[in-house]
Amino acid sequence: MSMDAAAWNSLHRVMNTQDGPQRLTKETLKRIGGFAAPHKRRLIHFLLLSVVSACLAVATPVLAGKVVNAIVDGDSRSKVFGIAGLIALIAIADAALAIWTRWLSATIGEGLILDLRTTVFDHVQRMPIAFFTRTRTGALVSRLNSDVLGAQRAFSGTLSGVVSNLVTLTLTLVVMLSISWQITVVALVLLPVFVVPARRMGSRLAALSREAANHNAVMSTRMTERFSAPGATLVKLYGRPDEESVEFAARASRVRDIGVKSAMLQSVFVTALTTVSALALAVVYGLGGFYALKGSLDPGAVVALALLLTRLYAPLTALASARVEIMSAVVSFERVFEVLDLQPLIREKADAVAVPDGPVSVEFSHVTFAYPSADKVSLASLEEVAMLDNRGGVDVLHDVSFRVEPGQMVALVGTSGAGKSTIASLIPRLYDVDRGAVRLGGVDVKDLSMASLRETLGMATQDGHLFHESVRDNLKLARPEATDAELWSALHDARLDDLVASLSDGLDTIVGERGYRLSGGERQRLTIARLLLAHPRVVILDEATAHLDSTSESAVQEALAVALAGRTSVVIAHRLSTVRAADRILVIEDGRVVEQGTHHELLAQGGRYEELHRTQFDAGPLDQSLPG
Ligand SMILES: Nc1ncnc2c1ncn2[C@@H]1O[C@H](COP(=O)(O)OP(=O)(O)O)[C@@H](O)[C@H]1O
Ligand SMILES: [Mg+2]
């Protein structure tokens, strides 16, 4: 085996080193290819231009050698000028090509980032609630930001480098070998000296950058969690700010140490390479000079070889570090694919139908349900646990059957943890039942289109979430086309119009993250206003009036009474006044319907409801003042 072939082989090995999780698998490559496919034309265009520009890069040293020969041979001036002019032309063409290829690689890279970003956003949006209850927002957001960016780097940054450098390297070697294979081989003897440590350095650098990425992710998760209004409140109340700061500082300083270490590793690497190439240059001048003196090589060839050699080691440097970059880009791709591979458990059927027109019934038929286990809905890396819990969840609902006739109101009562909220969450398909069926207007919710489901249902919960946006935007979420008059009317019905009118910016007032500038009761009334605005045919209230004091509750109760009139509703309430107004009451216990009937029927039965009624219900002044 010739010397240069050995060098090539070892170089090849550097490029293909596979260690640990950085495996560049066929599938990953195929999928990356899938994302690159729409940019195929530009890619080909780009590759062709890279080849042209590599050829130009090799042409200049060869021409320089010719100038030297022309000088030495005492050729005509016009020949020297002609070659010099050609070198100038090449320089200009090279500049134009550089800009052109950069434009191509940038459009490909940025196009790729756009595709990846929108795909991941779209995918994550469709994940079931169970996914979000498990993942840490910070980890997910960093997946969307830094990993998508990292994946893009593979294209706009590295791909261009690798391709043009490989072409330059090959061409340079070919030309050098054709000028003098002996000198080329000797000059390359030093190559393994550099290639072997480069390999080790590459994996060391990759390990360091992975560690830094982990620390960074933990830090950003910390920050997103701690620096939100509820998180900060918790830290103020129970947190140990000093310990938190110490831990944060420890991670941050580790990131600093890693930064310094990788910078040094890289610099040692680059310096070593520069030295090796300088030594090789000495070899070319020495050996080349020797041959030239002997007369077996012309002086121009020595100059050309020396110039070519400098172009040989430059792409080598780039290629050696490109490997690390490509590998980390591949890791980013894999981390993005990992999220894309999570199949949403709850999906719309291809032939999904709309909820039938008119008043709708809600029906539970022998519903059994367990919250899905972690391994079905999440990723260990997003939950930030080493291993996902794969234990099957215990059944939370057992054989639950009931029916709410169109226009009727059913109240669910029971102790905390009985399964009321779980029942409520099955209607909008936040979760899917394991056995049995939930039907809306007689159609299994699994057969309904998500859009129709959203349009039909309105749900308000105890901790009604508000986005960090204006009152108007928060309301319009329910109905983007609503006019201001409609907004005010909904606010009026939720008894919130006076408050909003008194705010300096009115409807444009920003309600803080999770609506923190509003009190619990005000926030709840705003979510009720949002619900009213949507005019849903089926209303689900999960302790939606829990935060209200009796004055505002009675006001909201009135509004709800109007809003609920003629609508099918499932109401979970802690207040007797709400429960008593229901057409039917279901008593839920340990995930089962244990009693059902009207208030009076159930009281007369003297069972569980009667007991709850005595011990649990907060029979406020309003209830006492009402006749039973
Ligand atoms: N996201 C969840 N994952 C796993 N178990 C849950 C989840 N939410 C609630 N549970 C469990 O389901 C049971 C019923 O809870 P829930 O329906 O919220 O009760 P209720 O609303 O009647 O107070 C409880 O034992 C609770 O611990
Ligand atoms: Mg609940």
Side-chain angles (χ1 to χ4, degrees), residues 472-484 486-487 533-534:
R472 183 198 311 277
D473 291 339
N474 268 296
L475 286 173
K476 278 192 167 187
L477 195 63
R479 214 151 63 84
E481 72 283 3
T483 62
D484 275 11
E486 288 170 311
L487 297 186
L533 190 67

Side-chain angles (χ1 to χ4, degrees), residues 415-422 462 542-543 572 574:
T415 50
S416 159
K420 306 180 297 293
S421 298
T422 307
Q462 184 171 5
D542 187 353
E543 303 189 2
I572 301 168
H574 271 162

Side-chain angles (χ1 to χ4, degrees), residues 305-356:
L305 275 177
L307 285 175
L308 282 168
L309 188 76
T310 58
R311 297 188 185 226
L312 185 68
Y313 277 83
L316 266 181
T317 329
L319 285 177
S321 56
R323 186 203 150 244
V324 179
E325 273 171 46
I326 290 178
M327 278 320 190
S328 67
V330 167
V331 172
S332 292
F333 262 112
E334 281 174 348
R335 284 164 61 95
V336 172
F337 289 158
E338 195 181 37
V339 175
L340 289 180
D341 284 342
L342 268 178
Q343 286 304 319
L345 281 180
I346 296 171
R347 265 180 295 183
E348 187 176 85
K349 280 191 181 163
D351 53 352
V353 295
V355 181

Side-chain angles (χ1 to χ4, degrees), residues 346-404:
I346 296 171
R347 265 180 295 183
E348 187 176 85
K349 280 191 181 163
D351 53 352
V353 295
V355 181
D357 286 338
V360 271
S361 61
V362 174
E363 188 188 349
F364 273 58
S365 158
H366 304 288
V367 167
T368 297
F369 172 76
Y371 281 96
S373 61
D375 61 336
K376 287 210 189 73
V377 295
S378 181
L379 279 175
S381 52
L382 288 179
E383 264 189 60
E384 301 191 335
V385 294
M387 267 263 289
L388 281 176
D389 202 347
N390 61 358
R391 285 170 296 184
V394 283
D395 283 353
V396 171
L397 299 181
H398 315 267
D399 197 30
V400 170
S401 295
F402 65 89
R403 192 180 149 84
V404 191

Side-chain angles (χ1 to χ4, degrees), residues 8-301:
W8 265 107
N9 278 346
S10 64
L11 179 68
H12 201 68
R13 253 177 282 136
V14 169
M15 299 295 303
N16 289 296
T17 307
Q18 296 179 347
D19 46 13
Q22 300 182 286
R23 199 167 293 272
L24 186 54
T25 60
K26 265 217 176 89
E27 288 98 286
T28 309
L29 267 185
K30 231 181 181 168
R31 295 184 72 175
I32 296 176
F35 274 96
H39 309 286
K40 205 153 116 199
R41 286 188 97 169
R42 283 212 174 122
L43 266 174
I44 293 173
H45 196 159
F46 167 78
L47 294 182
L48 287 178
L49 285 185
S50 297
V51 173
V52 174
S53 98
C55 292
L56 290 183
V58 175
T60 308
V62 174
L63 288 174
K66 293 225 181 309
V67 174
V68 171
N69 281 343
I71 297 167
V72 173
D73 300 345
D75 278 350
S76 66
R77 270 187 220 162
S78 61
K79 184 170 180 190
V80 172
F81 285 149
I83 298 171
L86 211 51
I87 290 178
L89 272 182
I90 286 177
I92 291 167
D94 202 33
L97 272 181
I99 291 173
W100 194 354
T101 47
R102 185 69 193 100
W103 178 79
L104 280 171
S105 75
T107 26
I108 296 167
E110 297 299 326
L112 186 88
I113 206 174
L114 171 74
D115 300 344
L116 264 183
R117 221 177 229 164
T118 48
T119 312
V120 174
F121 183 85
D122 185 62
H123 186 77
V124 171
Q125 256 208 128
R126 282 165 212 283
M127 293 306 285
I129 280 295
F131 170 79
F132 296 99
T133 61
R134 293 235 168 233
T135 50
R136 294 186 78 161
T137 315
L140 188 61
V141 170
S142 114
R143 197 64 63 103
L144 285 180
N145 283 336
S146 45
D147 286 323
V148 165
L149 275 176
Q152 174 253 3
R153 270 206 310 268
F155 277 80
S156 63
T158 331
L159 178 85
S160 49
V162 171
V163 172
S164 60
N165 283 320
L166 269 180
V167 177
T168 313
L169 198 64
T170 318
L171 268 177
T172 311
L173 265 182
V174 168
V175 175
M176 281 179 78
L177 286 169
S178 71
I179 295 176
S180 164
W181 66 266
Q182 296 93 333
I183 295 178
T184 309
V185 168
V186 175
L188 288 179
V189 164
L190 290 166
L191 200 59
V193 179
F194 140 78
V195 163
V196 174
R199 236 183 106 162
R200 254 186 245 130
M201 194 108 80
S203 41
R204 178 93 189 95
L205 270 174
L208 280 176
S209 71
R210 236 174 302 151
E211 195 193 332
N214 280 339
H215 286 304
N216 280 329
V218 172
M219 285 194 291
S220 78
T221 320
R222 271 289 145 77
M223 288 192 272
T224 37
E225 261 181 21
R226 301 297 198 268
F227 296 170
S228 68
T233 311
L234 207 58
V235 172
K236 292 262 181 278
L237 292 178
Y238 299 108
R240 291 178 301 267
D242 295 340
E243 276 93 328
E244 298 239 338
S245 290
V246 168
E247 209 209 306
F248 189 85
R251 282 193 192 277
S253 23
R254 182 66 192 139
V255 171
R256 172 201 58 195
D257 295 344
I258 291 174
V260 173
K261 203 173 252 173
S262 354
M264 287 326 291
L265 273 175
Q266 269 163 350
S267 131
V268 166
F269 176 69
V270 171
T271 313
L273 184 75
T274 320
T275 315
V276 169
S277 100
L279 292 177
L281 199 59
V283 169
V284 168
Y285 281 129
L287 201 60
F290 169 74
Y291 282 126
L293 288 176
K294 244 178 48 173
S296 56
L297 202 65
D298 48 49

